[in-house]
Amino acid sequence: MARISLTPPRSLFLRFTEWYSKRSYGEVLDPVRALAHNPRVMRSDLRFEMSVARWNRLDDELKTLAVMATAASIGCSWCMDFGHWESRRQGMDARKVQDVPMWRESDAYSPLERDVMEYAEAMTANPPQVADDLAERLVAALGEPAFVELTAMVAVENLRSRINSALGLTSQGFKDRCEIPAKPPTRTAAAR
C-alpha cells in the first residue's frame, strides 16, 4: 500500500500529465500521482525521463535487462511490473523478461546479457561491488559510449526503484496485460 496519497491536488499540469499517461500507457502511472504532491519534483522528474528516453548508444534489450535486474535487486514490484509490460510491448522475448529475477539459473541469456545483469546487481549493491574484470569485459564488448550509458541506466533505475519502493508503490497490474488469455473452450470440447 502506498505511503502517500495517490490523489494529489489537481492542477492544470497534473491534468495534462494524466492525459499523456493514459494515452501512452492506458492509465495514470502511480509514480506520477505520488510525485505530483510536489509539482517541482514531478516536473524535474518528467524532464529527466524525457532526456533519458533519448539515450541511444546501448542496445535496447541490454538496457531493459539492466533496468529490470536493478529493479529486481532492489525489490521494486512497481518497476518490475511496469518493466515487464514495457519490454513485452517492445517485443522482447517473454522468457528473458520472466526470468530476470532468477537470471543466474536461467539458460535464456547470452554471456553478454549475463554480464550486463551482473553489472547492474554489482552497481546496485551498497556499497557498489563492481569487479574490474567485469567492467573490462563490458567495455570491450560494448565500447565506452554504451558502457557509460549502461552505467547511467543502472543509476537511473536505482533512483526510480528506490523512490517507488520508499513511497510504497506496488504493482499496478501492467504485467497482467501481457499475459495471453486462455482460449475459451470450443463448441466441440464444451459439448463433451
Side-chain angles (χ1 to χ4, degrees):
M1 176 129 174
R3 295 184 178 106
I4 187 169
S5 158
L6 296 179
T7 54
R10 308 263 314 139
S11 68
L12 182 60
F13 186 69
L14 176 59
R15 289 195 303 265
F16 171 76
T17 304
E18 288 174 332
W19 169 82
Y20 180 81
S21 182
K22 286 178 187 174
R23 184 173 164 256
S24 299
Y25 310 110
E27 66 183 277
V28 179
L29 304 179
D30 285 349
V32 167
R33 288 185 173 124
L35 295 180
H37 285 284
N38 186 323
R40 285 185 179 176
V41 171
M42 182 178 75
R43 280 192 297 276
S44 295
D45 183 69
L46 292 173
R47 280 193 305 268
F48 179 66
E49 288 291 349
M50 289 184 337
S51 178
V52 168
R54 290 191 297 271
W55 296 351
N56 62 3
R57 299 305 293 267
L58 180 63
D59 173 80
D60 286 339
E61 285 200 12
L62 294 176
K63 191 179 303 190
T64 296
L65 291 173
V67 164
M68 290 191 69
T70 302
S73 183
I74 291 170
C76 180
S77 66
W78 193 92
C79 297
M80 290 299 293
D81 176 47
F82 186 75
H84 186 101
W85 174 80
E86 192 172 45
S87 60
R88 293 295 296 135
R89 186 174 74 151
Q90 294 169 356
M92 196 165 165
D93 179 345
R95 182 154 175 243
K96 285 184 178 184
V97 175
Q98 192 67 40
D99 286 359
V100 167
M102 54 187 181
W103 66 268
R104 282 182 170 81
E105 293 80 34
S106 175
D107 62 355
Y109 305 106
S110 70
L112 176 57
E113 291 167 334
R114 289 177 176 288
D115 281 350
V116 164
M117 290 186 285
E118 182 180 348
Y119 185 72
E121 285 185 359
M123 255 189 81
T124 302
N126 191 9
Q129 300 178 0
V130 176
D132 289 340
D133 63 324
L134 174 60
E136 288 170 9
R137 284 196 311 272
L138 285 167
V139 169
L142 301 172
E144 290 178 341
F147 179 72
V148 168
E149 187 170 317
L150 169 63
T151 303
M153 281 309 306
V154 173
V156 167
E157 187 55 34
N158 265 270
L159 172 71
R160 294 171 180 152
S161 290
R162 291 178 190 281
I163 288 173
N164 292 341
S165 293
L167 293 175
L169 303 180
T170 58
S171 174
Q172 200 171 333
F174 284 97
K175 181 181 180 278
D176 299 337
R177 295 184 217 155
C178 298
E179 303 301 324
I180 299 171
K183 290 183 180 179
T186 60
R187 288 185 188 178
T188 311
R192 288 184 203 156

